[in-house]
Amino acid sequence: MAAPTAYSLIATDLDGTLLRGDDTLSDRSRAALARATAEGARHLVVTGRPAPRVRPLLDELGGEGLAVCGQGAQLYDAGAHRLLWSVTLDRELAETALGKIEAEVGMLYAAVDQDGVDGLTLIEPGYVMPHPTLPAVRVRRRDDLWTEPISKVLLRHPSLSDDELAAAAREVVGSLATVTMSGPGTVELQPCGVTKATGLALAAEYLGLSPAATLAFGDMPNDIPMFDWAARGVAMANAHPELKAVADEVTLSNEEDGIAVVLERLFGARAMGQETVQETARPKAWEKARATAGGNVSQ
């Protein structure tokens, strides 16, 4: 059944967007998503969290469907519990990039997300998890971070703000990696060319949907590529100023069910008079992603 609004794909970030500060999903948001999917829209989680840290939430939402994880580096099939597509960050490049940033700003604390559906989050001494509810394994020294393939590196600085650290990292990293800021205390290095937009494009092509049919919600600068790709981008009231500047709309905060407010407006009234956007996928998104993404690509 085709969705009754112009949007057949609803792409939502998690932290600071769909989830409340305590990592819970409100009954109102859950009901609004259920109504939208009952009307024919597809809900797609698009998050910086790696696949293993997304599975519990997807189970809560029904345990099936796709999710774009790791800032676009992973396309996860929750029903089959497997990665349909993944890109790893070359560990030598990651070490080189980390060294360049430290030469510029001084000592950093680092962590990594390992690749795979059972990959661990490893943190070196001194690194503090920005989301204390997410599990992590502390290692004895930095060299222990590189023992297995990784999807990204997470960085923290003892005194610089996230904006300052991200700006400094972009100045020196160049093409070694993509630098993103995805939340308080969360500056990350991921494979060069990989963003939420590249992951979302792959997922949309897999589902047979188009950018013109996509409504995206987010709260941080790492959501900017996703907003650029989608037909409409909605920022939360608590969003970073950089994202608000490029958003088509600003809704209420994640604590105030801002996503539900928008979805209730679009789907709650059964706006059957609106035309449904033609669902044609962006051509060759898979091939383009494989050609432009850094690191190692697998399917």
Side-chain angles (χ1 to χ4, degrees):
M1 179 174 63
T5 77
Y7 306 110
S8 300
L9 181 59
I10 301 166
T12 65
D13 174 48
L14 289 181
D15 299 295
T17 302
L18 180 61
L19 299 181
R20 292 178 170 178
D22 60 0
D23 273 3
T24 61
L25 178 64
S26 74
D27 291 340
R28 183 180 179 185
S29 293
R30 191 194 317 276
L33 287 168
R35 177 58 183 270
T37 55
E39 294 290 347
R42 299 291 296 265
H43 174 221
L44 185 69
V45 167
V46 184
T47 178
R49 295 191 186 194
R53 308 297 171 257
V54 177
R55 180 60 187 264
L57 176 68
L58 296 179
D59 287 342
E60 189 178 348
L61 290 170
E64 298 182 356
L66 302 181
V68 176
C69 305
Q71 305 292 8
Q74 300 172 327
L75 182 57
Y76 175 58
D77 182 339
H81 188 45
R82 68 187 182 98
L83 292 176
L84 299 180
W85 188 85
S86 68
V87 186
T88 57
L89 176 59
D90 183 277
R91 285 166 281 176
E92 290 188 7
L93 292 182
E95 283 192 274
T96 299
L98 191 53
K100 285 179 173 290
I101 300 169
E102 287 191 313
E104 182 71 17
V105 303
M107 183 183 69
L108 296 168
Y109 299 115
V112 301
D113 284 334
Q114 293 180 333
D115 189 40
V117 295
D118 298 313
L120 301 173
T121 297
L122 304 181
I123 59 178
E124 71 174 355
Y127 186 90
V128 178
M129 287 289 288
H131 298 288
T133 61
L134 298 180
V137 176
R138 191 171 297 279
V139 297
R140 296 179 60 186
R141 54 181 186 164
R142 180 170 291 180
D143 286 348
D144 296 331
L145 299 176
W146 320 117
T147 57
E148 299 289 341
I150 61 173
S151 59
K152 64 180 178 180
V153 179
L154 301 90
L155 308 175
R156 303 199 75 166
H157 192 276
S159 60
L160 293 180
S161 69
D162 298 328
D163 290 291
E164 291 169 334
L165 178 56
R170 291 189 185 102
E171 284 291 323
V172 298
V173 165
S175 61
L176 293 174
T178 296
V179 178
T180 61
M181 182 171 60
S182 60
T186 313
V187 175
E188 302 176 352
L189 306 177
Q190 61 206 60
C192 186
V194 171
T195 67
K196 283 191 175 184
T198 60
L200 180 54
L202 292 173
E205 180 172 345
Y206 190 88
L207 295 171
L209 300 174
S210 71
T214 302
L215 173 67
F217 294 88
D219 74 308
M220 291 300 290
N222 64 323
D223 295 313
I224 291 175
M226 179 168 70
F227 277 26
D228 289 341
W229 185 87
R232 187 171 185 82
V234 180
M236 315 306 290
N238 51 288
H240 191 282
E242 289 182 16
L243 187 68
K244 286 183 177 179
V246 301
D248 298 297
E249 177 182 349
V250 178
T251 186
L252 298 181
S253 73
N254 61 317
E255 300 290 347
E256 300 169 300
D257 297 317
I259 288 179
V261 169
V262 175
L263 295 183
E264 288 165 358
R265 185 183 76 224
L266 293 174
F267 294 92
R270 291 183 177 270
M272 298 301 291
Q274 300 186 40
E275 295 183 358
T276 301
V277 174
Q278 181 68 30
E279 299 177 357
T280 54
R282 176 169 287 187
K284 299 183 179 178
W286 290 79
E287 290 79 0
K288 182 178 180 181
R290 281 195 289 270
T292 61
N296 301 311
V297 181
S298 62
Q299 280 184 254

